Amino acid sequence: MHFEVLHAVRALFADYPGRYWIAGGWALDLFVDRVRRPHTDVDVLVLARDLDLVAGTFTDPRPTVENPNTGDQRPWDPGETLTPGPDVLAFPDDLFPAPVRVMLAASDGDDWVYHRGRGNLRKPLDEITLTTGDGIPYLAPELVLLFKSRSDRPKDTEDFNDVAPDLDTARRAWLHDRIAPRYPDHAWLPALT
């Protein structure tokens, strides 16, 4: 599978009036312009404040709320408040070449805000947005890797090792300065200095 699945996601979001980004491992693939490993799904990020736009755009089928830890799904009531992090929206798996999961991002004005209780960790929405030549928006690699740095899953380490050489000095420094205070012995830090 090349990037065709991402074109299906772009078509799905064609009428969506809010911001969205391809996230996760696919965003890293877009950054380095190659599919580096197999993916089981496509993560899409939207702003939590735009849930009304999501509800108004995706009515048939309406996504369900999925617990990302268990995979359990339940109907989504569009008036329901969902929380960045523990709440994920899932489209039916049989509609697209790969399952599409919609994650929620916290924001404040024109800034993305890290939802892990550290409101001082933020970055302008325009800075976290990269776009392919054919118009697919994706999340900046330093943000994707920040989320992946909390895990010791082999695929996250593989993602870091594949992408770190392609990060410029500013992206490396930003990621280093966000990982080091929480995880001073993190295995990725030497490659970021």
Side-chain angles (χ1 to χ4, degrees):
M1 179 175 3
H2 197 54
F3 291 123
E4 290 84 8
V5 67
L6 303 184
H7 293 276
V9 171
R10 182 179 60 190
L12 172 67
F13 277 79
D15 294 329
Y16 179 67
R19 286 184 182 246
Y20 77 94
W21 301 262
I22 301 297
W26 278 113
L28 297 177
D29 288 0
L30 290 171
F31 179 70
V32 297
D33 196 27
R34 68 182 187 282
V35 179
R36 302 164 303 99
R37 64 171 172 81
H39 300 278
T40 58
D41 61 8
V42 179
D43 294 328
V44 179
L45 187 71
V46 300
L47 299 177
R49 70 182 183 210
D50 291 340
L51 275 173
D52 287 345
L53 299 177
V54 173
T57 304
F58 304 110
T59 58
D60 186 26
R62 181 161 316 280
T64 58
V65 178
E66 180 177 274
N67 180 318
N69 297 318
T70 66
D72 293 338
Q73 294 185 5
R74 63 176 176 76
W76 174 41
D77 173 6
E80 173 184 7
T81 300
L82 299 178
T83 306
D87 291 324
V88 172
L89 293 173
F91 285 96
D93 289 350
D94 59 349
L95 291 183
F96 306 101
V100 176
R101 300 298 182 259
V102 178
M103 302 176 304
L104 306 174
S107 59
D108 179 24
D110 291 332
D111 288 347
W112 160 85
V113 178
Y114 191 47
H115 69 266
R116 296 259 172 215
R118 295 175 15 179
N120 61 337
L121 203 168
R122 56 182 56 225
K123 201 165 185 175
L125 293 171
D126 289 342
E127 286 184 25
I128 71 167
T129 305
L130 301 178
T131 307
T132 64
D134 58 352
I136 298 173
Y138 65 98
L139 198 58
E142 64 272 24
L143 269 72
V144 175
L145 292 171
L146 176 66
F147 286 106
K148 288 178 169 285
S149 72
R150 299 175 295 112
S151 168
D152 61 356
R153 298 180 306 181
K155 74 175 183 176
D156 295 329
T157 299
E158 177 185 333
D159 285 348
F160 175 78
N161 290 334
D162 284 350
V163 175
D166 293 297
L167 298 176
D168 62 24
T169 303
R171 292 185 196 284
R172 280 175 190 272
W174 188 93
L175 184 58
H176 178 278
D177 293 349
R178 286 4 176 242
I179 293 174
R182 287 190 76 184
Y183 308 107
D185 297 324
H186 199 288
W188 297 1
L189 292 177
L192 294 171
T193 55

